[in-house]
Amino acid sequence: MESSESILNLNDRRERRRLPIIGSGLSVLYLAGLVLYLFAQNQNPADLDLNELGDFLGGISSPLAFLWLVLGFFQQSREIRLSSKALQLQASEMRRTVDEHRRLGGGN
């Protein structure tokens, strides 16, 4: 039978992989939609002047940058939550250790 710690580690690994998979999927969908739009409009970015190409690339990369920024925020929030739980468990264990030492040292 699996221990609760190994189940938590498995859930943690799944959770850690989920955000990059979501981000990658949304990025692929966005880029595929962009390619389809350009194809439907009969547009070729290679035909643009250099300054127009820079504006185009900046415009199409902004939504992707914002997506990954938001996903990074959620990842960081999750990591802080896990750190907080670990600190609470560590403090609880330290309290139990102190109580045990008092019990052994005091003879009660």
Side-chain angles (χ1 to χ4, degrees):
M1 186 166 186
E2 289 187 52
S3 69
S4 61
E5 186 176 315
S6 65
I7 291 172
L8 287 175
N9 285 339
L10 181 62
N11 288 340
D12 185 44
R13 277 188 254 131
R14 285 181 188 154
E15 179 86 13
R16 197 175 287 164
R17 279 187 246 145
R18 190 175 69 196
L19 285 176
I21 290 172
I22 290 170
S24 298
L26 288 174
S27 295
V28 167
L29 284 174
Y30 173 75
L31 292 175
L34 177 69
V35 168
L36 287 174
Y37 175 77
L38 290 174
F39 183 74
Q41 296 293 320
N42 200 18
Q43 298 277 333
N44 185 0
D47 295 338
L48 298 174
D49 291 336
L50 197 54
N51 63 334
E52 292 171 339
L53 182 61
D55 291 342
F56 171 76
L57 292 175
I60 64 168
S61 64
S62 295
L64 288 176
F66 185 72
L67 167 70
W68 286 99
L69 177 72
V70 169
L71 291 175
F73 172 77
F74 285 127
Q75 180 72 22
Q76 186 177 22
S77 170
R78 186 185 150 282
E79 293 294 330
I80 289 171
R81 191 173 50 249
L82 289 175
S83 253
S84 178
K85 284 181 186 178
L87 285 172
Q88 289 173 351
L89 289 172
Q90 186 178 8
S92 172
E93 186 62 34
M94 289 176 77
R95 272 188 237 110
R96 273 187 281 185
T97 302
V98 167
D99 290 343
E100 183 67 21
H101 281 255
R102 281 185 186 151
R103 188 183 64 77
L104 291 174
N108 293 338

